[in-house]
Amino acid sequence: MNKFKEIKPEELNKSTFQLIGKDWMLITAEKDNKVNTMTASWGGFGIMFAKNVVYIGIRPQRYTKEFVDNSDTFSLTFFDETFRKKLSYLGTVSGRDEDKISKVNLTIQHENNTPYFEEGNIAIICKKLYAQDFDPKCFTVGELDEKWYPKKDYHTFYIAEIEKVLIKNS
């Protein structure tokens, strides 16, 4: 039995500040039949290109970036507070080094070939529309560059169309 039901993006009545900034999320993609994920707390929701979109940033050294770059889609999965320890682990250990998803006992599901996690409360299936590396010349506030990029490892900024919003059945 499917544990999720689909809702329209406009029906998602959660604060994105809470979902992304406080609860965190997993960005997940698949490449060559392998799934990788990372914890993220930067991003947002909005309207772009007359579409409902999400935007995320991924640093170049993150292994998940290879998966997002090599796929047309990715997912964002949101969890409740009881998963904080697992999300922290997934954000600090690289999938290059171990099968970190199985180590934290998360169950991979697929929606139209896009992986997400059964244990989440919300899964958003996203289709990439735009990707661009942050350019240090574009900062209008200089201390942002100094504070967040001392190693000059600038995020790639992705805008993706929300294809589906899945919420856990009550």
mmCIF file of all heavy atoms in Angstrom, residues 21 28 46 51 57 65 73 77 83 95 126 138 147 156:
data_model
loop_
_atom_site.group_PDB
_atom_site.id
_atom_site.type_symbol
_atom_site.label_atom_id
_atom_site.label_comp_id
_atom_site.label_asym_id
_atom_site.label_seq_id
_atom_site.Cartn_x
_atom_site.Cartn_y
_atom_site.Cartn_z
ATOM 1 N N GLY A 21 14.840 25.439 6.667
ATOM 2 C CA GLY A 21 15.779 26.054 7.598
ATOM 3 C C GLY A 21 15.883 25.371 8.945
ATOM 4 O O GLY A 21 16.937 25.390 9.575
ATOM 5 N N THR A 28 18.023 14.054 -3.047
ATOM 6 C CA THR A 28 18.317 12.685 -3.464
ATOM 7 C C THR A 28 18.198 12.566 -4.980
ATOM 8 O O THR A 28 17.255 13.095 -5.577
ATOM 9 C CB THR A 28 17.333 11.705 -2.797
ATOM 10 O OG1 THR A 28 17.324 11.964 -1.389
ATOM 11 C CG2 THR A 28 17.712 10.263 -3.048
ATOM 12 N N GLY A 46 9.162 28.806 -4.804
ATOM 13 C CA GLY A 46 8.656 30.020 -5.410
ATOM 14 C C GLY A 46 8.081 29.777 -6.791
ATOM 15 O O GLY A 46 7.766 28.648 -7.160
ATOM 16 N N LYS A 51 6.214 28.677 -13.396
ATOM 17 C CA LYS A 51 6.086 27.331 -12.842
ATOM 18 C C LYS A 51 6.296 27.366 -11.330
ATOM 19 O O LYS A 51 6.997 28.237 -10.825
ATOM 20 C CB LYS A 51 7.139 26.401 -13.459
ATOM 21 C CG LYS A 51 7.025 26.231 -14.968
ATOM 22 C CD LYS A 51 8.156 25.363 -15.499
ATOM 23 C CE LYS A 51 8.122 25.203 -16.993
ATOM 24 N NZ LYS A 51 6.977 24.473 -17.486
ATOM 25 N N GLY A 57 21.024 24.732 -3.460
ATOM 26 C CA GLY A 57 22.431 24.943 -3.773
ATOM 27 C C GLY A 57 23.236 23.751 -3.292
ATOM 28 O O GLY A 57 22.976 23.222 -2.210
ATOM 29 N N LYS A 65 26.135 15.963 -5.748
ATOM 30 C CA LYS A 65 26.115 16.876 -6.897
ATOM 31 C C LYS A 65 26.293 16.108 -8.201
ATOM 32 O O LYS A 65 25.635 16.406 -9.203
ATOM 33 C CB LYS A 65 27.183 17.958 -6.751
ATOM 34 C CG LYS A 65 27.146 19.000 -7.856
ATOM 35 C CD LYS A 65 28.191 20.064 -7.618
ATOM 36 C CE LYS A 65 28.122 21.178 -8.621
ATOM 37 N NZ LYS A 65 27.963 20.818 -10.012
ATOM 38 N N THR A 73 16.049 14.692 -12.865
ATOM 39 C CA THR A 73 15.188 14.905 -11.716
ATOM 40 C C THR A 73 15.945 14.634 -10.418
ATOM 41 O O THR A 73 16.990 13.986 -10.411
ATOM 42 C CB THR A 73 13.949 13.982 -11.754
ATOM 43 O OG1 THR A 73 14.363 12.625 -11.659
ATOM 44 C CG2 THR A 73 13.122 14.206 -13.014
ATOM 45 N N THR A 77 13.138 15.310 0.336
ATOM 46 C CA THR A 77 12.320 14.587 1.311
ATOM 47 C C THR A 77 12.494 15.257 2.665
ATOM 48 O O THR A 77 13.612 15.554 3.077
ATOM 49 C CB THR A 77 12.727 13.100 1.400
ATOM 50 O OG1 THR A 77 12.730 12.524 0.098
ATOM 51 C CG2 THR A 77 11.749 12.333 2.278
ATOM 52 N N PHE A 83 14.122 12.054 13.172
ATOM 53 C CA PHE A 83 15.147 11.648 12.199
ATOM 54 C C PHE A 83 16.377 12.551 12.223
ATOM 55 O O PHE A 83 17.282 12.397 11.414
ATOM 56 C CB PHE A 83 14.553 11.611 10.785
ATOM 57 C CG PHE A 83 13.644 10.444 10.566
ATOM 58 C CD1 PHE A 83 12.309 10.527 10.896
ATOM 59 C CD2 PHE A 83 14.132 9.253 10.053
ATOM 60 C CE1 PHE A 83 11.465 9.446 10.712
ATOM 61 C CE2 PHE A 83 13.302 8.160 9.865
ATOM 62 C CZ PHE A 83 11.961 8.258 10.196
ATOM 63 N N GLY A 95 28.690 9.387 0.521
ATOM 64 C CA GLY A 95 28.310 8.158 -0.155
ATOM 65 C C GLY A 95 29.439 7.575 -0.986
ATOM 66 O O GLY A 95 29.354 6.432 -1.443
ATOM 67 N N CYS A 126 11.189 16.701 -8.319
ATOM 68 C CA CYS A 126 11.607 17.927 -8.990
ATOM 69 C C CYS A 126 12.278 17.635 -10.337
ATOM 70 O O CYS A 126 13.083 16.698 -10.434
ATOM 71 C CB CYS A 126 12.618 18.668 -8.108
ATOM 72 S SG CYS A 126 12.055 18.928 -6.419
ATOM 73 N N CYS A 138 29.065 38.495 -8.395
ATOM 74 C CA CYS A 138 27.648 38.835 -8.313
ATOM 75 C C CYS A 138 27.169 39.134 -6.896
ATOM 76 O O CYS A 138 26.031 39.565 -6.718
ATOM 77 C CB CYS A 138 26.811 37.705 -8.915
ATOM 78 S SG CYS A 138 27.077 37.504 -10.691
ATOM 79 N N LYS A 147 32.311 35.211 4.351
ATOM 80 C CA LYS A 147 31.794 34.362 5.419
ATOM 81 C C LYS A 147 31.525 32.935 4.957
ATOM 82 O O LYS A 147 31.903 31.971 5.630
ATOM 83 C CB LYS A 147 30.499 34.954 5.988
ATOM 84 C CG LYS A 147 29.890 34.099 7.083
ATOM 85 C CD LYS A 147 28.641 34.729 7.656
ATOM 86 C CE LYS A 147 28.074 33.847 8.758
ATOM 87 N NZ LYS A 147 26.912 34.441 9.401
ATOM 88 N N THR A 156 26.590 25.343 -6.674
ATOM 89 C CA THR A 156 25.823 25.406 -7.914
ATOM 90 C C THR A 156 24.382 25.614 -7.487
ATOM 91 O O THR A 156 23.878 24.937 -6.585
ATOM 92 C CB THR A 156 25.963 24.116 -8.735
ATOM 93 O OG1 THR A 156 27.341 23.955 -9.098
ATOM 94 C CG2 THR A 156 25.115 24.181 -10.009
#
